[in-house]
Amino acid sequence: GQNIDQPTEMTATEGAIVQINCTYQTSGFNGLFWYQQHAGEAPTFLSYNVLDGLEEKGRFSSFLSRSKGYSYLLLKELQMKDSASYLCAVRDSGAGTALIFGKGTTLSVSS
Amino acid sequence: KAGVTQTPRYLIKTRGQQVTLSCSPISGHRSVSWYQQTPGQGLQFLFEYFSETQRNKGNFPGRFSGRQFSNSRSEMNVSTLELGDSALYLCASSPEGRNEQYFGPGTRLTVT
């Protein structure tokens, strides 16, 4: 089966760095995604990792270790607008193109 | 390019009724996936359509069905609504050969 775990809530202050962890178990890993979802809005795509290592995209970076079933999303120079839910999702090769989502991490950024 | 659009945005139905939700993907995207989002279960995959064919299906009862038209627009239908079907229904489209999915704003369904 598939299982994705991420912390329910995190808090941080403006300008800081925060790391949101995600661990997963799948029968056939075929990619990991991070999405951002502001309250009442649609999820927006942040990053995609399929090979081990770090992918950097501006203030956001995502890391993957397939052997450990582990990923993290790193947010630098936090801004108030980064307050949102961050969703980790994996694609299982046995499930076609479906994304299996974790329940999300709600990040609150304060000044 | 316009994003994924979904109609209606909000819907209130009574238990036992049926409902049809509509999704128009980003122009040129042929893959459309549907997800249900609830506070308790998070985002759960319903099904995916590509070129008018259901390519993948999640673990939902047969009351949930969908279809895709030749212009890639998709509809999902839920029959015999139950209170537990109250949720945000999200549609996502993908460009061919790419992995990311782009989500629409969702339809908020409330079943009373």
Side-chain angles (χ1 to χ4, degrees):
Chain A
Q2 303 120 354
N3 191 45
I4 300 173
D5 286 313
Q6 48 181 132
T8 305
E9 292 179 343
M10 297 183 73
T11 59
T13 52
E14 244 182 330
I17 300 173
V18 71
Q19 178 174 311
I20 302 174
N21 296 324
C22 170
T23 58
Y24 64 88
Q25 292 174 306
T26 64
S27 49
F29 178 80
N30 196 21
L32 187 139
F33 301 76
W34 284 96
Y35 281 82
Q36 179 192 60
Q37 187 177 25
H38 285 100
E41 297 183 13
T44 54
F45 170 75
L46 290 177
S47 68
Y48 167 69
N49 296 68
V50 67
L51 300 176
D52 290 352
L54 188 68
E55 295 279 342
E56 296 186 78
K57 205 186 274 189
R59 293 189 300 114
F60 292 8
S61 304
S62 57
F63 171 83
L64 175 67
S65 168
R66 289 173 297 169
S67 62
K68 295 181 179 175
Y70 168 70
S71 173
Y72 67 72
L73 180 70
L74 193 71
L75 292 75
K76 302 176 190 173
E77 301 167 17
L78 280 172
Q79 303 173 11
M80 299 291 283
K81 67 178 183 179
D82 297 328
S83 294
S85 180
Y86 290 87
L87 306 168
C88 173
V90 297
R91 178 168 285 154
D92 186 316
S93 57
T97 54
L99 293 182
I100 299 116
F101 282 86
K103 295 198 177 167
T105 299
T106 301
L107 173 66
S108 299
V109 180
S110 59
S111 56
Chain B
K1 233 181 202 180
V4 177
T5 58
Q6 293 186 244
T7 56
R9 292 293 311 278
Y10 302 91
L11 205 48
I12 299 174
K13 289 286 189 177
T14 304
R15 201 168 39 177
Q17 288 185 315
Q18 68 94 27
V19 68
T20 299
L21 312 180
S22 181
C23 169
S24 292
I26 293 171
S27 177
H29 291 192
R30 293 199 288 162
S31 167
V32 174
S33 299
W34 288 89
Y35 293 83
Q36 181 195 66
Q37 187 173 32
T38 59
Q41 298 299 318
L43 266 155
Q44 293 185 287
F45 173 75
L46 280 156
F47 26 66
E48 185 215 356
Y49 286 87
F50 180 83
S51 291
E52 302 179 67
T53 302
Q54 187 180 87
R55 192 156 70 170
N56 203 1
K57 190 177 190 313
N59 191 26
F60 276 81
R63 300 185 296 107
F64 292 82
S65 62
R67 58 178 175 167
Q68 186 180 34
F69 302 94
S70 58
N71 62 357
S72 294
R73 190 177 70 85
S74 177
E75 289 181 347
M76 68 163 280
N77 184 278
V78 188
S79 62
T80 321
L81 283 165
E82 300 177 1
L83 295 178
D85 297 333
S86 294
L88 181 66
Y89 290 88
L90 291 159
C91 162
S93 71
S94 300
E96 203 163 346
R98 300 289 298 270
N99 295 292
E100 63 269 26
Q101 296 184 3
Y102 297 92
F103 285 83
T107 295
R108 172 77 59 188
L109 172 66
T110 302
V111 182
T112 62

